[in-house]
Amino acid sequence: MNEGEFEKALERGFAGMRARRGPCPAAEKLAGLASGELPVDEAASIRAHVAVCGACDAMLVRLRKFEEAKADDLPVDAREERMRAKVFLGRRVRRGAVAVAGYAVAAGVLVCGYLGLLPRRNVERTVPSWDTVESIGLNRVRGGAAPLAAKASSRFVILSFFVDIRPDLRYEAVLDGGEAKSVTSYDGVGNFHLVVDRRLLGTGRHVLTVREGNLRTVEFPFEMK
Amino acid sequence: MRPEDYDARTDEELVASFQASGSEGAFAVLWRRHWARIYRQCLAFAGNQADAEDLTAQAFTRAWREAHRFQGGNFLAWLAVIARNCCVNHVRSAWSRLVTAAGDEITAMADQQHDAQGSQEDRTFSAELEQLVNQLPDEQRVAVKLFFIDGYSYEQIAGLMQCDVKRVKSYLQNAKRKLQMLWFEPAEAKGKGSGT
């Protein structure tokens, strides 16, 4: 086989590997393989899958590094106080804040109810047609790398983004330093959707800032065509 | 137990004390003893300081919340499993959109090329190629599999591997060159071992 034939054969070879792949094992099995805790037979079958699966191989590489770091005794360079605050201080603040917020909301609802200010259910709302809503995914790692496009006919744009959340904290999103909007992860894991008016996303650079309580902010810089 | 006594206690005694009274002092000692080790492991996994700090805090917070489930044994090993799960979930969440998006394309690619898998010669070549691919260095091997087998785009791989597109292209180019070199090496030099 010469070099030109080899190039073509590569494609067929990779297709063959793809065909042998089968379903991915659970992450626990990969972790077991990385730590050497799997029985020999099972380890061999997981290894055979990893040999033809990029996603599992990538995860296994990371899990091996995790295991290897056990033996490492080198001092670490990290902001320990920041982590400690998240674990300890965050809890105390949250406990207090939740109690205060709970009483405040209950009191507010009672007063509004008494004064007849609570919203009525049958209020008509204008719901945009789906033709006029567009979805754009933001990625912190690749943020701003390539300009994003939204159709001129879109009235609203759904910005989708991911923040590694803690379920008991409150999150706010701010577009270009504007008004802060409270946001909630729709899957409880950290994936968010934020609906914004298309007119706010003019040509040029924008930044979506997500605030995690008072602990940290995560920025998603991006550019619109 | 007075707070000053905590330092003299074993991990397991501290957890028992925390389970019984919710004593923050007991948990603070566990934190002091183990945060650096857990952080080091999270850093090795995540590859960057910011994520490692978040994952460490997340692991301890989860351990705090789930301490009642600890049923004795080695506390640090239990904590390390929690940290590992946090790491895996973190990566999965970040990958989930990319994986879902590519899933349909991969199936389509597999269907399209199903007929091309027929000949014995192709199967033999594919098996030999698998051996060669698994001799590549970690980054090249993962990039090759994600691109040629899993069907991800350069941009998606950059996201998965936390590097830029230029780096991904360089991994792929070097990997192809190395595969070619390995293939045209004398037969006895091939198949020295597997990278996975």
Side-chain angles (χ1 to χ4, degrees):
Chain A
M1 188 186 297
N2 62 35
E3 289 186 14
E5 288 169 339
F6 177 75
E7 190 77 17
K8 282 182 192 164
L10 270 184
E11 281 175 28
R12 294 201 306 278
F14 284 122
M17 288 166 75
R18 192 180 308 125
R20 286 199 297 282
R21 192 170 50 172
C24 294
E28 291 71 31
K29 299 287 181 193
L30 292 172
L33 182 64
S35 59
E37 289 161 5
L38 280 188
V40 178
D41 289 354
E42 204 172 356
S45 104
I46 305 287
R47 217 175 273 127
H49 172 82
V50 172
V52 291
C53 178
C56 289
D57 199 353
M59 183 68 92
L60 185 63
V61 167
R62 284 169 178 252
L63 285 165
R64 282 202 172 122
K65 287 180 181 166
F66 183 89
E67 290 299 324
E68 284 161 12
K70 264 185 197 169
D72 184 2
D73 273 337
L74 295 170
V76 294
D77 176 23
R79 290 175 54 197
E80 190 248 343
E81 77 286 356
R82 180 177 171 276
M83 291 184 273
R84 185 158 25 88
K86 274 194 152 190
V87 179
F88 293 92
L89 191 62
R91 296 188 71 81
R92 269 178 250 139
V93 170
R94 278 197 307 282
R95 269 205 303 269
V98 166
V100 170
Y103 287 127
V105 169
V109 168
L110 283 175
V111 170
C112 290
Y114 180 74
L115 297 175
L117 297 176
L118 288 179
R120 277 174 291 171
R121 284 184 175 219
N122 296 333
V123 176
E124 271 189 39
R125 296 179 62 192
T126 310
V127 180
S129 130
W130 282 110
D131 299 342
T132 61
V133 179
E134 193 164 2
S135 186
I136 289 181
L138 302 180
N139 185 320
R140 187 151 55 117
V141 178
R142 292 182 285 121
L148 303 164
K151 282 181 280 187
S153 59
S154 300
R155 285 180 58 202
F156 298 92
V157 174
I158 301 172
L159 297 177
S160 306
F161 53 94
F162 176 81
V163 178
D164 178 27
I165 61 161
R166 286 171 54 183
D168 39 5
L169 284 184
R170 196 166 160 266
Y171 291 81
E172 282 183 337
V174 180
L175 181 65
D176 297 331
E179 190 189 345
K181 283 187 180 172
S182 180
V183 287
T184 309
S185 169
Y186 61 84
D187 59 0
V189 175
N191 286 304
F192 290 85
H193 284 158
L194 177 69
V195 181
V196 297
D197 193 313
R198 167 72 179 88
R199 288 168 297 183
L200 296 176
L201 294 174
T203 307
R205 294 197 66 76
H206 299 273
V207 180
L208 179 74
T209 308
V210 182
R211 295 189 198 134
E212 181 187 70
N214 292 322
L215 292 171
R216 67 165 177 164
T217 57
V218 180
E219 290 197 336
F220 295 87
F222 62 99
E223 189 174 352
M224 296 298 296
K225 272 185 191 167
Chain B
M1 194 187 295
R2 289 177 304 160
E4 55 269 36
D5 293 335
Y6 286 136
D7 279 332
R9 304 284 165 173
T10 64
D11 285 356
E12 290 67 35
E13 287 169 336
L14 289 169
V15 182
S17 168
F18 181 71
Q19 285 172 330
S21 62
S23 156
E24 195 176 301
F27 201 84
V29 175
L30 291 167
W31 163 266
R32 211 164 57 230
R33 281 183 193 169
H34 301 305
W35 77 265
R37 148 86 182 266
I38 296 299
Y39 170 79
R40 206 179 288 124
Q41 289 190 271
C42 292
L43 181 63
F45 184 94
N48 71 77
Q49 200 166 334
D51 283 346
E53 288 180 1
D54 284 349
L55 289 166
T56 306
Q58 206 181 90
F60 274 91
T61 303
R62 205 169 281 179
W64 180 308
R65 211 178 294 148
E66 294 176 8
H68 61 278
R69 292 190 185 164
F70 178 72
Q71 297 177 331
N74 183 337
F75 172 75
L76 181 56
W78 181 75
L79 181 62
V81 170
I82 291 180
R84 191 183 69 195
N85 291 343
C86 290
C87 288
V88 168
N89 290 340
H90 168 73
V91 166
R92 271 183 172 172
S93 309
W95 287 6
S96 61
R97 266 179 300 162
L98 295 168
V99 171
T100 313
D104 296 341
E105 292 167 27
I106 293 163
T107 314
M109 284 169 74
D111 289 346
Q112 254 176 25
Q113 300 184 2
H114 184 73
D115 292 342
Q117 305 309 305
S119 83
Q120 178 63 38
E121 193 188 344
D122 281 350
R123 281 201 294 272
T124 311
F125 178 78
S126 180
E128 286 183 36
L129 179 64
E130 182 183 322
Q131 276 203 337
L132 299 185
V133 166
N134 286 302
Q135 289 179 41
L136 295 172
D138 281 352
E139 289 83 3
Q140 291 181 18
R141 188 182 71 242
V142 168
V144 160
K145 290 183 190 175
L146 288 170
F147 188 79
F148 291 108
I149 304 176
D150 294 0
Y152 292 106
S153 66
Y154 294 126
E155 287 77 15
Q156 286 172 324
I157 297 172
L160 291 169
M161 294 181 74
Q162 294 186 306
C163 62
D164 55 26
V165 169
K166 220 169 159 185
R167 181 73 63 87
V168 172
K169 287 183 178 171
S170 148
Y171 287 147
L172 290 171
Q173 210 161 20
N174 291 338
K176 268 174 95 174
R177 203 174 299 135
K178 189 149 189 192
L179 284 174
Q180 199 165 17
M181 210 174 69
L182 287 168
W183 179 257
F184 289 106
E185 262 183 8
E188 63 271 18
K190 291 181 193 173
K192 277 177 189 166
S194 164
T196 55

